[in-house]
Amino acid sequence: MDRLMLARPDFAEDAGALAREWLLTNGLGGYASGTIAQANTRRYHGLLVASLKPPLERIVMVAKADATVRYRGASHALACNEFSDGTITPRGYRRLAGFHLEGTIPVWTFAFGDALLEQRVWMAHGHNTTHVQYSLLQAGAPLALSIAPLCTYRDYHSHARGSRAYTVDSQESTCTVTAHDGARPYTLSVDRGRFRAEPEWWWNFHHRIEAERGLDATEELFRPGTFHIELLSGESLTLTLSAEAEAAPTSLRQAITREAGLLSALPPAAPSWVRQLTLAADQFLVARGNPGDATAG
């Protein structure tokens, strides 16, 4: 699979890390997108933006997932947020050792002393489901990982302000969020570890690109709780975000195989930019269909 790699100067400071964006789509009109810094700079950014009436009714459900690691007694944030008072905190991207696209899949590599942690995001094609995988490539000690999903329920063209009475139904490693009567429930789960319910509203997130456009640029997000996992060297875990009754179990291998199939139609000597353009074009193909129909798109 082709890789598009960025050099460290491209994301070492706010200007580069907040300006460079990534995008994944699911063939239904739903998508996931954000910045290398993992701070949302547009109202359109989100880890799970579901298309409830494909290809329409795009609803931002999970805006982001802020992760923190604890390794050898020290805590390190992977996340980044910008707030309406101008504060940018934390700046987790400063722990980035590398960033690249594996086909269309964004890959972050974080370094903490002798530990390397890799993060990937992909969507299940034909489903309103996003997967976020964390893999501990190397470490000399256990690494504790906590993940705080930040949620909402709004049209992707708008912002939502103030707290709302969200309902959270939690189990050992899963929680289901319902924003209001008539809203589509969505489920957050990990394939290992546990969920701790800690419902809380986080205030005054700032979207700098919306401010530059002269539009309202502030929203509030809901944290239903936190996932807690311990990883040893060589181990992985996957966080799954889904607006479907049963989340599509699309593995990373399946996602990569699908993109490899798209590229197989090209001449063997096709330059890398043509291969990348082919994958980018596929991102904008949308089929009408049911969100649970794996054959759509």
Side-chain angles (χ1 to χ4, degrees):
M1 180 64 65
D2 289 12
R3 290 191 174 195
L4 176 62
M5 305 188 70
L6 295 182
R8 182 165 174 75
D10 293 328
F11 53 76
E13 301 296 337
D14 291 350
L18 290 167
R20 289 175 168 82
E21 302 173 64
W22 56 270
L23 170 69
L24 299 166
T25 63
N26 66 357
L28 294 174
Y31 67 88
S33 69
T35 65
I36 292 177
Q38 302 196 60
N40 291 347
T41 60
R42 304 179 187 269
R43 67 185 67 199
Y44 302 102
H45 285 158
L47 271 182
L48 177 61
V49 184
S51 179
L52 301 186
K53 294 181 180 178
L56 305 174
E57 200 172 324
R58 295 181 177 99
I59 302 296
V60 183
M61 295 181 169
V62 183
K64 62 203 310 285
D66 284 2
T68 303
V69 305
R70 187 162 185 82
Y71 184 66
R72 295 192 184 276
S75 183
H76 309 280
L78 310 189
C80 181
N81 291 302
E82 184 170 12
F83 297 95
S84 56
D85 65 355
T87 301
I88 299 177
T89 186
R91 288 181 166 90
Y93 65 85
R94 291 182 175 173
R95 286 287 177 181
L96 270 179
F99 177 87
H100 69 272
L101 293 180
E102 193 169 273
T104 62
I105 297 171
V107 182
W108 295 258
T109 304
F110 295 93
F112 318 96
D114 64 344
L116 286 178
L117 181 71
E118 199 168 70
Q119 176 185 333
R120 281 177 168 80
V121 180
W122 71 94
M123 291 199 83
H125 191 73
H127 296 270
N128 285 313
T129 300
T130 301
H131 302 282
V132 186
Q133 184 184 78
Y134 301 86
S135 300
L136 189 55
L137 302 183
Q138 65 180 52
L143 180 146
L145 176 65
S146 62
I147 307 169
L150 297 178
C151 301
T152 184
Y153 194 93
R154 61 171 176 83
D155 181 87
Y156 76 144
H157 287 306
S158 65
H159 279 126
R161 300 298 310 276
S163 63
R164 282 86 72 197
Y166 284 16
T167 299
V168 179
D169 180 17
S170 62
Q171 299 179 21
E172 182 177 356
S173 59
T174 302
C175 77
T176 299
V177 178
T178 305
H180 54 77
D181 288 344
R184 174 78 65 86
Y186 53 95
T187 300
L188 323 174
S189 63
V190 289
D191 58 0
R192 57 188 300 174
R194 69 188 189 279
F195 175 76
R196 180 185 300 160
E198 300 167 315
E200 182 180 53
W201 282 92
W202 291 18
W203 302 90
N204 298 319
F205 289 89
H206 179 69
H207 296 158
R208 59 170 54 193
I209 301 299
E210 305 305 323
E212 291 173 6
R213 296 169 64 203
L215 301 176
D216 63 296
T218 305
E219 75 168 342
E220 277 75 61
L221 297 173
F222 175 67
R223 183 197 67 185
T226 310
F227 293 97
H228 296 271
I229 309 95
E230 184 174 272
L231 293 176
L232 300 177
S233 182
E235 293 183 338
S236 298
L237 74 100
T238 302
L239 168 69
T240 298
L241 319 169
S242 184
E244 301 180 5
E246 293 187 11
T250 304
S251 69
L252 176 61
R253 182 177 296 276
Q254 287 174 297
I256 292 174
T257 298
R258 180 183 176 275
E259 293 194 345
L262 295 173
L263 295 178
S264 68
L266 296 175
S272 60
W273 68 266
V274 171
R275 298 168 66 84
Q276 203 67 43
L277 185 60
T278 299
L279 295 178
D282 178 70
Q283 297 265 49
F284 292 92
L285 295 178
V286 177
R288 295 179 184 273
N290 296 321
D293 180 4
T295 65

